[in-house]
Amino acid sequence: MSYLDESRSCLAALQQKEHLRILAIESSCDETAAAVVEDGRKILSNAVFTQIDLHALYGGVVPEIASRAHVEKVDRMVDQALSDAGMRLADVDAIAVTYGPGLVGALLTGVSCGKALAYAAKKTLIPVNHIEGHICANFLTDPDLEPPFACLVVSGGHSHLFLVEDYGVYKIIGQTQDDAAGEAFDKAARVLNIPYPGGPLLDKLAEQGNPHALKLPRPKTEGKYDYSFSGLKTAFINAVHNARQKGETLCDADLAASFRHAVVSFLVDKAMLAADDLNLKKMALAGGVSANQLLRREMEAACKKQGIQLFMPKLSLCGDNAAMIASAGYYRLRRGEIADLSLNARPALRLQSK
Ligand code: KG4
Ligand code: ZN
């Protein structure tokens, strides 16, 4: 029997099983991660190796270095996730793997590892979209969260406002027309000589600054709930360069605070506008930028004011990890979405809008 025929024949039994323990692998960018999660909600282990130190020297992620580091680390992370969960490969019910979006070489490492393990151990393989994983980080934080809810996904590569209508049913309400919010934070940080990855350090520095020191424009967008960060980033960089050329001394904390305030108020205002128009009652945050302290505070205040229930991933689950991939994989398996060994990396994979 072929691998896929065998997987299909096991599917019904797996779907009826009371408890499902899924091993997941994540390698879409600069984190090599593996985790075991039970029933999409309970983390049994969550091993993450971050490559930050390897890329810091170059001021950003170097795809070739990322791929090599994933190759070196992926087996070890899988071993660690299994041993931390007190399990052997034979004990897991299925293997979920991120197959996109992300860096092609980085994704290929995880996909190849997932396929090899699934084939060798005769396990069902589940293909997972990285963005969907970020959304599912909320299921790991809050056991009571159920769709429908809106989710603002803000990461290094994406800024989307989704309506999660049901498990696996996503509708894009708004999205960035150009740069992602995380990318804008990283570029703004670079002009302040903050080392990579700039977002978290800019956030920290901004806590001591005056958010109204530098006035930045509010970007215009075509769609009512869309975002745009490219103009904001350029306006910020130009303002800093102009001031430096004139010999003016600007306080870095004030600059960081002003930029953070501009990005966050834009993110929050649009999300709240959508919530109001569409009568949304539950809102979630996801992605690396959801760790931003001001975004968390402002969303909390805005949701409270509008009577919306807010869900935010634990800080340890905001960035890339494999537990969120296992959670997304669980709901995909429940829906019968499995892969065969022809699964390939899909760098530009989109989260289907229905
Ligand atoms: O989700 P993520 O870990 O990777 C992608 O899928 O892209 O997001 C990484 C991004 C980076 O741009 C990083 O600077 C940003 O999230 N980030 C932050 C903060 N923590 C991470 N940006 C602003 N404030 C933070 N606290
Ligand atoms: Zn991510």
Side-chain angles (χ1 to χ4, degrees):
M1 211 193 291
S2 75
Y3 169 80
L4 187 61
D5 288 342
E6 215 161 302
S7 279
R8 282 204 184 111
S9 69
C10 300
L11 186 59
L14 267 185
Q15 286 173 315
Q16 274 156 29
K17 215 171 161 220
E18 198 187 345
H19 293 296
L20 284 178
R21 293 189 292 186
I22 293 179
L23 167 70
I25 301 163
E26 154 64 37
S27 69
S28 64
C29 190
D30 58 347
E31 262 87 30
T32 320
V36 182
V37 171
E38 189 172 272
D39 300 332
R41 301 268 177 169
K42 188 175 165 200
I43 299 176
L44 302 184
S45 64
N46 193 14
V48 182
F49 169 76
T50 177
Q51 303 177 357
I52 284 177
D53 291 348
L54 301 177
H55 301 290
L57 188 63
Y58 307 95
V61 179
V62 182
E64 179 61 22
I65 293 176
S67 308
R68 282 169 190 269
H70 285 307
V71 170
E72 280 168 18
K73 283 285 184 305
V74 72
D75 288 353
R76 269 181 256 177
M77 299 322 285
V78 168
D79 287 348
Q80 193 183 323
L82 287 170
S83 80
D84 289 352
M87 293 167 72
R88 294 162 308 142
L89 183 57
D91 302 328
V92 305
D93 293 299
I95 297 172
V97 64
T98 305
Y99 74 114
L103 302 169
V104 66
L107 287 165
L108 271 172
T109 311
V111 169
S112 306
C113 177
K115 290 200 294 192
L117 292 175
Y119 181 66
K122 293 191 169 34
K123 301 290 174 188
T124 298
L125 183 66
I126 314 164
V128 173
N129 181 307
H130 180 79
I131 303 302
E132 182 173 28
H134 274 302
I135 296 172
C136 292
N138 285 287
F139 297 140
L140 298 169
T141 304
D142 212 307
D144 299 326
L145 175 62
E146 300 271 358
F149 60 92
C151 188
L152 176 64
V153 183
V154 271
S155 71
H158 301 86
S159 297
H160 280 86
L161 186 59
F162 286 103
L163 185 60
V164 183
E165 294 181 320
D166 199 348
Y167 290 104
V169 184
Y170 306 97
K171 191 172 165 185
I172 298 173
I173 307 174
Q175 59 191 312
T176 182
Q177 297 176 169
D178 38 61
D179 294 355
E183 191 184 346
F185 271 121
D186 294 341
K187 298 260 170 68
R190 198 183 286 189
V191 75
L192 298 180
N193 298 316
I194 296 172
Y196 161 86
L201 292 174
L202 185 147
D203 186 22
K204 210 168 159 196
L205 180 64
E207 287 293 300
Q208 294 133 40
N210 170 11
H212 306 291
L214 178 70
K215 191 149 174 44
L216 290 162
R218 169 61 61 107
K220 296 219 173 5
T221 56
E222 265 175 43
K224 200 173 173 191
Y225 313 124
D226 283 345
Y227 292 110
S228 165
F229 296 104
S230 168
L232 194 53
K233 171 197 73 186
T234 308
F236 178 76
I237 294 172
N238 287 344
V240 174
H241 283 161
N242 287 343
R244 282 181 188 155
Q245 274 161 9
K246 286 185 208 151
E248 290 170 16
T249 41
L250 296 173
C251 162
D252 280 355
D254 286 351
L255 290 170
S258 300
F259 186 74
R260 182 178 71 160
H261 169 72
V263 172
V264 166
S265 60
F266 190 39
L267 285 170
V268 174
D269 290 354
K270 290 273 178 135
M272 288 301 120
L273 181 67
D276 199 25
D277 287 355
L278 307 173
N279 198 22
L280 305 171
K281 295 286 171 238
K282 288 191 265 181
M283 174 77 71
L285 292 182
V289 181
S290 64
N292 187 274
Q293 299 179 67
L294 185 68
L295 178 62
R296 293 172 85 94
R297 288 199 298 266
E298 294 286 308
M299 275 305 250
E300 229 162 359
C303 285
K304 199 169 167 199
K305 204 167 147 202
Q306 270 178 236
I308 294 168
Q309 205 181 349
L310 177 66
F311 299 85
M312 298 187 280
K314 255 190 235 167
L315 287 178
S316 59
L317 295 172
C318 289
D320 292 348
N321 65 84
M324 67 186 198
I325 303 303
S327 175
Y330 170 82
Y331 292 105
R332 283 195 169 222
L333 183 64
R334 287 275 178 233
R335 300 192 298 273
E337 294 173 22
I338 58 174
D340 68 12
L341 299 175
S342 66
L343 181 70
N344 205 349
R346 299 266 307 275
L349 183 69
R350 289 177 63 85
L351 195 53
Q352 213 58 44
S353 187
K354 304 235 162 113

